[in-house]
Amino acid sequence: MRNSADDAQRVIDQATAKLGNFDVDIEAVREQKPEGSMQTLDSMDELMELAESSMPDSDIDISRDIDTEIMDEVYSALRTNADRRNDGYNQFRGLAAVEKGINPAMITGAKPETVDSWYEKFRDAGLTYTENGDEMLTTEGEIFMDEAYGFLDAIGKDQDTREVQEYIAEAFGSFSRRASNQEVPLTGFIYAADEEPSTSRIAEASDVSKRTVYNWMEKWNGGEGLGFIRGEPRDRKLTGRGLRAYEMVENQHRALDVASEMKASMIEELEEDRTGSDSLPFIPGNQQLVERYLDDSSLAEKYMERN
């Protein structure tokens, strides 16, 4: 048996250490190690360094480079949802509880079936996985939370207070759509922040009406106290807080994307080296993203879905 399936994250660490052909542009690594040598990522910090180093030096037009559909799925899993009995359950607080090894019901007061539905959303987004009956953060989940906390620190907010966790849940909610037949608001935010074009151009780029763009702007301006922009939609400016939010989105997407490329390479190596008698390890993560880096996309389901 090549790898045990009992510890998903250990499988990732072991397999990642065996990758010799991960295609990133890190001159320092190339100078220190011969081609084909193994690289081991020992911590999330190293993964973030890898993500940073793999990007070109020139400025990134994230309005083209960020997959807003993928980020919509992630942010939708963390928003505050309305509830008839109270002001709504904060799913970001639920993920923060998972990070601390606490049952989200103890913090949010949500019913067990509600928490189970959150877990399903977290897993679909590639942020958590189940191991021996416990919900655990994936590498991607750790990266995502680290960037979210970095954003809160940058704007001077205490990440552990309920008020602040409600704030970031509202921010994620403002980036994600309420229904699958709607357009992704994050697209509008990225265009508004990246280029500051007219509302008509944002509406055209996002394939929505100008009224929809105005509604988005209202949320990012004064609505929910987000404060990402100031001024009227036609004469707006990105605030410092808005710039930090823009950078958070970019960093989260970039890191999730690089982690997914790594896992795709790992899966291909495991598939190439395994024999028919080997048990398949379970690789947690964002299956949709990993599929994009596989020559055979069916391998993602084979390794990333539990039987």
Side-chain angles (χ1 to χ4, degrees):
M1 183 180 297
R2 182 176 173 80
N3 290 96
S4 170
D6 294 335
D7 185 339
Q9 210 63 35
R10 178 162 52 83
V11 171
I12 291 172
D13 293 340
Q14 291 173 347
T16 302
K18 294 179 173 62
L19 291 179
N21 298 309
F22 184 55
D23 185 19
V24 291
D25 185 17
I26 309 179
E27 293 300 328
V29 172
R30 289 178 178 173
E31 292 174 0
Q32 295 171 8
K33 299 182 179 181
E35 183 177 355
S37 63
M38 296 186 296
Q39 297 180 37
T40 302
L41 301 179
D42 295 323
S43 69
M44 185 171 66
D45 290 338
E46 289 185 51
L47 181 57
M48 287 303 299
E49 284 184 23
L50 185 60
E52 294 287 343
S53 301
S54 67
M55 304 304 292
D57 292 334
S58 59
D59 291 338
I60 303 168
D61 180 2
I62 67 172
S63 59
R64 289 195 300 265
D65 292 339
I66 283 192
D67 188 325
T68 56
E69 294 284 340
I70 288 291
M71 297 311 293
D72 169 70
E73 181 181 357
V74 175
Y75 292 142
S76 293
L78 298 171
R79 67 190 311 154
T80 296
N81 283 343
D83 184 89
R84 293 179 181 177
R85 294 166 297 178
N86 53 35
D87 292 332
Y89 291 130
N90 185 331
Q91 293 167 203
F92 178 83
R93 295 182 70 215
L95 187 64
V98 171
E99 182 186 35
K100 295 177 172 63
I102 301 171
N103 188 323
M106 297 177 62
I107 292 178
T108 64
K111 291 184 176 181
E113 57 266 28
T114 299
V115 172
D116 287 342
S117 72
W118 293 350
Y119 287 165
E120 186 175 351
K121 291 178 182 178
F122 296 162
R123 293 173 204 141
D124 287 345
L127 300 175
T128 70
Y129 67 102
T130 303
E131 194 64 45
N132 298 324
D134 295 324
E135 203 71 16
M136 312 283 289
L137 288 187
T138 61
T139 304
E140 293 91 328
E142 293 178 7
I143 293 168
F144 185 90
M145 293 298 285
D146 187 62
E147 288 297 329
Y149 289 147
F151 162 70
L152 293 175
D153 288 343
I155 64 174
K157 289 184 176 290
D158 183 353
Q159 59 187 247
D160 291 324
T161 66
R162 176 168 183 165
E163 178 184 13
V164 169
Q165 291 178 349
E166 291 285 352
Y167 170 82
I168 197 166
E170 292 294 344
F172 293 149
S174 78
F175 294 150
S176 59
R177 56 190 167 187
R178 292 285 180 180
S180 59
N181 62 345
Q182 297 174 346
E183 295 303 319
V184 180
L186 180 60
T187 304
F189 177 74
I190 289 172
Y191 274 104
D194 194 29
E195 302 176 5
E196 297 191 355
S198 68
T199 52
S200 296
R201 285 183 58 199
I202 294 173
E204 181 179 358
S206 305
D207 194 23
V208 298
S209 67
K210 286 179 64 176
R211 171 48 55 192
T212 297
V213 173
Y214 273 66
N215 291 338
W216 291 347
M217 294 289 181
E218 185 177 355
K219 288 184 179 180
W220 299 325
N221 192 340
E224 287 85 41
L226 296 179
F228 293 159
I229 63 171
R230 64 173 179 269
E232 295 299 320
R234 286 195 180 92
D235 185 27
R236 68 189 180 279
K237 293 295 181 182
L238 189 69
T239 65
R241 182 179 294 185
L243 176 61
R244 294 295 187 181
Y246 176 102
E247 292 171 344
M248 174 184 66
V249 172
E250 178 186 8
N251 290 340
Q252 286 172 332
H253 181 271
R254 179 166 50 186
L256 294 177
D257 194 51
V258 169
S260 297
E261 185 174 0
M262 289 173 55
K263 289 183 178 180
S265 297
M266 173 177 54
I267 287 171
E268 289 179 336
E269 181 166 310
L270 287 170
E271 180 69 8
E272 181 180 350
D273 293 349
R274 70 182 290 269
T275 67
S277 61
D278 288 343
S279 296
L280 288 175
F282 167 64
I283 311 296
N286 191 308
Q287 185 174 328
Q288 285 181 274
L289 271 175
V290 172
E291 284 179 353
R292 300 182 183 190
Y293 289 106
L294 291 168
D295 292 332
D296 179 0
S297 61
S298 67
L299 290 177
E301 181 178 349
K302 184 175 181 179
Y303 282 87
M304 301 183 74
E305 291 189 5
R306 289 191 187 275
N307 297 324

